[in-house]
Amino acid sequence: MPIYVSSSFHLLLFSLSFSLMASLDTNDSHPDSSRSTQSSLTIQSTSLSSGTIHMYPFPSPSTSSQPQRSKRRQVKNACTNCQKACKKCDDARPCLRCVRYGVQEACVSSQRKERKKGVKRGPYKKRDGKDRAASMNTNHPEAPLQQGVHTAPPIPPPLASSPVVSSYMSFGLPTGYYSHFPPPALAKSVEAPSIYPPYIFTHLPPTVQSPQIRQEAVINPTCVPHQCYSAAFVAQFNSPVYSPYSIARPDNQATLPNYTVYGSHLSARQSGTSSSDCGGDLHRSG
DNA sequence: ATAATCGGACGATCAATAAC
DNA sequence: TTATTGATCGTCCGATTATT
Ligand SMILES: [Zn+2]
Ligand SMILES: [Zn+2]
């Protein structure tokens, strides 16, 4: 039963941000300032008008020139539903989004196709010390902007002395674990917020792993304790002391009135349509 | 106001290549 | 053989559009 705790600094940030995020809808987004066209590039700030929260748990007081942000974390394989909808998935199966839409049964991981081999690449750039430093350093004027992200000192691994965990990366839970959600009262958006309290993980309750009971839990939100996401959850979340054991995932959110059921309205693209598949850098060129 | 769509930025992966 | 590069493939942010 892993319990990851962290600094109160971040808890504070989170409690603050969730109230602001309440208005977010399908923009279950999180700070990604470099690609946002209308959100600011500020660090640890909040854009109230757009609803975009900029939270960068790694404060960079000294380097004021470069906005520092942690990397966006991706799951290895999104489920097919999330994949089609271009929405954030998670490592658990069923994923939270499918649970929310009541399509747990259809939540299966997508398949990655094998990378093609035998593609020639041409010469790499030289690898002596200097070139290397240059290529890895943003100081290089020619370096792509993208590389600038890595300018900051490498983020220490979790077991490093610092308890600080990136909120941006916090969603990376081991399979079978769910992070806690903001209290439903705050999380009125349909899609799950991308920023989760990163510090309290709870093991997937066995009941959730059973399809039958899972379904019941969705159908009947007023279910057995540990199968539902009830006032108990809210209470715990609001409590200064978090108990990792009695919290189940918010399954009952799938039955919230505003949520439409997969098959009628689910925001996943029809597989047969000619619409684009929402993917990739097809446009990108050398 | 809320939900769905989807363009494209960003992240992760891993074969090709370079260095040892 | 190991280390590094960098193209490919994938995720999903977030603006736009559609629906209620
Ligand atoms: Zn999913
Ligand atoms: Zn799913």
Side-chain angles (χ1 to χ4, degrees):
Chain A
M1 21 254 85
I3 307 169
Y4 301 96
V5 183
S6 86
S7 65
S8 55
F9 163 72
H10 291 104
L11 288 176
L12 196 135
L13 274 180
F14 275 112
S15 58
L16 181 95
S17 60
F18 280 135
S19 57
L20 295 170
M21 292 175 64
S23 62
L24 290 178
D25 184 47
T26 50
N27 294 334
D28 50 339
S29 55
H30 55 63
D32 193 351
S33 52
S34 72
R35 61 189 302 272
S36 173
T37 51
Q38 66 181 31
S39 53
S40 70
L41 291 170
T42 47
I43 304 172
Q44 291 178 354
S45 66
T46 56
S47 309
L48 292 172
S49 56
S50 66
T52 303
I53 314 292
H54 298 279
M55 275 193 341
Y56 301 106
F58 298 101
S60 58
S62 53
T63 58
S64 56
S65 54
Q66 276 289 341
Q68 228 184 86
R69 64 179 182 83
S70 48
K71 287 168 70 175
R72 179 179 89 198
R73 203 236 168 219
Q74 305 179 167
V75 296
K76 263 190 165 56
N77 279 89
C79 76
T80 53
N81 292 330
C82 293
Q83 184 183 49
K84 287 179 192 143
C86 298
K87 292 297 180 185
K88 185 163 179 56
C89 194
D90 60 73
D91 290 324
R93 290 293 174 270
C95 72
L96 183 66
R97 188 170 175 276
C98 285
V99 169
R100 280 172 167 259
Y101 281 99
V103 289
Q104 309 92 300
E105 318 304 327
C107 182
V108 294
S109 293
S110 61
Q111 292 287 345
R112 284 192 174 237
K113 62 178 173 184
E114 200 171 332
R115 185 182 301 205
K116 47 186 165 189
K117 298 177 183 177
V119 179
K120 292 297 175 190
R121 289 184 152 196
Y124 285 3
K125 63 183 170 193
K126 287 298 178 181
R127 249 210 258 167
D128 58 86
K130 253 185 284 183
D131 272 40
R132 235 188 94 198
S135 67
M136 305 193 105
N137 195 327
T138 338
N139 293 340
H140 207 298
E142 314 294 67
L145 197 73
Q146 191 175 334
Q147 300 285 358
V149 170
H150 304 298
T151 309
I155 295 167
L159 60 132
S161 58
S162 170
V164 175
V165 178
S166 164
S167 64
Y168 210 173
M169 304 183 71
S170 66
F171 197 64
L173 307 182
T175 303
Y177 288 79
Y178 289 102
S179 65
H180 291 172
F181 273 67
L186 291 178
K188 85 175 180 188
S189 82
V190 169
E191 297 292 342
S194 296
I195 304 174
Y196 300 89
Y199 315 115
I200 309 127
F201 302 154
T202 184
H203 200 283
L204 235 180
T207 54
V208 173
Q209 292 167 342
S210 160
Q212 292 176 343
I213 303 180
R214 228 191 295 132
Q215 195 169 19
E216 279 216 29
V218 173
I219 294 172
N220 180 16
T222 62
C223 50
V224 197
H226 292 53
Q227 287 178 15
C228 34
Y229 189 70
S230 56
F233 171 79
V234 181
Q236 288 181 63
F237 200 86
N238 287 330
S239 163
V241 178
Y242 298 89
S243 164
Y245 298 111
S246 53
I247 302 174
R249 60 182 295 165
D251 284 6
N252 63 344
Q253 290 198 11
T255 63
L256 288 179
N258 283 343
Y259 297 158
T260 50
V261 175
Y262 201 69
S264 59
H265 274 290
L266 187 64
S267 74
R269 285 158 227 224
Q270 312 284 342
S271 55
T273 61
S274 58
S275 62
S276 84
D277 205 19
C278 183
D281 280 340
L282 302 175
H283 57 285
R284 188 192 287 173
S285 62

